[in-house]
Amino acid sequence: MYLKDDGTLDRAGLTRDLLGIVTDRPGRDPAAVLGWLAVRARAAPPGPDGTALTLAMAATACYALWRVRRVAVIDALVEAAERAAAVYGARGCAAPGAHLHPDVAALGDHEEIARMAGRAGALDAGWHCPRFLAALAADTLTLLGNGRRARFEPPDTADLDAFFLVGGRADIEQLTLTVERHRPGGPNDLAEQAALWAARRLLGGRALPEERVPLFLTVCFAAQHCHWCATPPGMVAVYRDALATIDLAPLGGPCPHPHGHPDVPPRTLLRYVRALAGFGGDGLRVDADAWHCPRHLAERAGRMLAYTAGYLGLDEPRQKV
C-alpha cells in the first residue's frame, strides 16, 4: 500500500493519508490505512522507516479510537505499539549525551507529528534514538489500551437491576423513559447503559415472554441512535447480539397484515413501546397484534442489523431507519 519498488516506505503517500485522518478529511478508509500501518510497524526494521511508522502510530492513535469501529484494527495497533516499545526499549540509547531526546510530553500537535513521519529521514539523531522511540511507543500503547477498554469493552450493568426490575419483572416504563434520554449529538451514559441492560436481559434468557417485544423495541431505539451519539462500538455489538435473537425466517412468508406494519418516527418509538406494555399515559392507540407480528419483528430486526453493521464498518450495507 505504501511501499516503493525497492521495499522502502512511501512516506509522502503515507503522510498524505495520515493528515487526512487526523484532520477528519480521510482520502482513504481509515481502517484500511491504520490496519496497514499496524502490520508494517510490527515488522519494521530499525532506521528511518521504523521512526516514521512509530511517529505515524503516535499521530493517529487518538483518531483510530474514534474513527475506527473494528476492534481487530485497534488490537493490531496495540500489538504494534507494544512490540515497538519492547524492541526499542531493549536497545536503549546508543549515544548517551551525544544528542537531545525530544520531549514526548510536548508532542501534542497530531498534524505536526504526522508531517514529521513524512520527513523522518531528515530529522535529527535524537528522533531516531531507541530510547525516545520506546517512550513514544509506550505512550501510544497506553492511549490505545485505555481507549480500547473504553470503546470496546461494555460496562457491567448488573447494578441496574435495582432500577429496572420490580418483583422480578422489567419495569418497561422506567426503562424506556431512561433510554429515551438519548439526544442527537448528545451522548447520555445512563441511557446507553440502560439500553445495554435491556439487550443483556434479552440475551441472558431472563426476559419474561411479555417483556421480549418491549425489550427488543427498546434496543432498536438505542441502536438507531448509535450514529448520533457516537456510541462505543462494544455497546453496539451487544445490541446486535440482542437483535439477532429475533427469528428472521418470517421474512420469507406471508402475514395477516396486508396494509403493512407499524411505522412510527424513530423519536416516538418508545412512546409506543410504553403503550404496548400497558402504560397508556400518552393516549396512544396501538394494534398489539400488528406490533407482535413475527414478520414485523423480523423486518425491524433486519433493518437494524443492517444499520448497525454500517456503523461498525461490517460488510452488510447500511440502511436508513
Side-chain angles (χ1 to χ4, degrees), residues 39-311:
V39 171
R40 187 63 185 171
R42 185 174 174 81
D49 282 2
T51 300
L53 293 166
T54 305
L55 287 167
M57 288 194 294
T60 55
C62 180
Y63 298 87
L65 292 167
W66 287 97
R67 286 201 57 86
V68 177
R69 301 187 181 105
R70 303 178 199 170
V71 68
V73 175
I74 304 303
D75 285 344
L77 286 167
V78 167
E79 290 177 7
E82 189 172 40
R83 181 180 183 279
V87 170
Y88 287 124
R91 295 179 63 201
C93 181
H99 54 245
L100 294 176
H101 295 136
D103 183 359
V104 175
L107 297 178
D109 187 334
H110 297 99
E111 289 185 53
E112 182 57 25
I113 299 173
R115 291 190 180 94
M116 287 178 176
R119 58 176 189 269
L123 295 176
D124 293 339
W127 290 91
H128 301 288
C129 176
R131 180 178 172 184
F132 161 70
L133 292 173
L136 183 61
D139 276 14
T140 302
L141 176 61
T142 298
L143 177 62
L144 288 168
N146 290 341
R148 187 201 186 283
R149 285 187 289 275
R151 296 283 286 162
F152 293 95
E153 298 179 20
D156 183 22
T157 52
D159 60 317
L160 295 182
D161 287 357
F163 294 93
F164 300 132
L165 284 182
V166 177
R169 296 176 178 271
D171 184 343
I172 299 301
E173 183 179 37
Q174 184 63 36
L175 175 66
T176 55
L177 287 170
T178 303
V179 175
E180 215 166 34
R181 296 183 186 184
H182 277 294
R183 289 294 183 273
N188 183 291
D189 289 344
L190 182 56
E192 288 181 341
Q193 291 184 29
L196 191 61
W197 183 91
R200 284 172 168 159
R201 185 159 177 84
L202 273 176
L203 287 168
R206 298 187 301 272
L208 300 175
E210 64 270 22
E211 297 174 8
R212 290 191 57 80
V213 170
L215 289 172
F216 162 69
L217 294 172
T218 299
V219 174
C220 285
F221 177 89
Q224 70 192 14
H225 286 73
C226 65
H227 178 67
W228 286 352
C229 295
T231 307
M235 286 189 176
V236 179
V238 178
Y239 296 164
R240 284 177 57 78
D241 289 342
L243 294 169
T245 64
I246 300 300
D247 183 9
L248 299 184
L251 289 173
C255 80
H257 304 102
H259 301 296
H261 296 111
D263 184 15
V264 300
R267 188 68 233 160
T268 65
L269 176 61
L270 294 187
R271 292 178 58 203
Y272 286 87
V273 174
R274 285 192 289 276
L276 190 65
F279 302 98
D282 285 338
L284 296 176
R285 304 177 73 177
V286 297
D287 180 350
D289 183 62
W291 279 95
H292 284 89
C293 173
R295 180 167 180 134
H296 164 244
L297 300 178
E299 289 171 349
R300 194 174 288 271
R303 289 199 305 270
M304 292 315 307
L305 285 168
Y307 182 78
T308 51
Y311 180 76

Side-chain angles (χ1 to χ4, degrees), residues 11-33:
R11 295 184 205 138
L14 177 60
T15 301
R16 179 184 62 248
D17 288 337
L18 295 177
L19 287 171
I21 291 173
V22 300
T23 58
D24 209 22
R25 296 189 294 270
R28 288 178 183 256
D29 175 16
V33 174

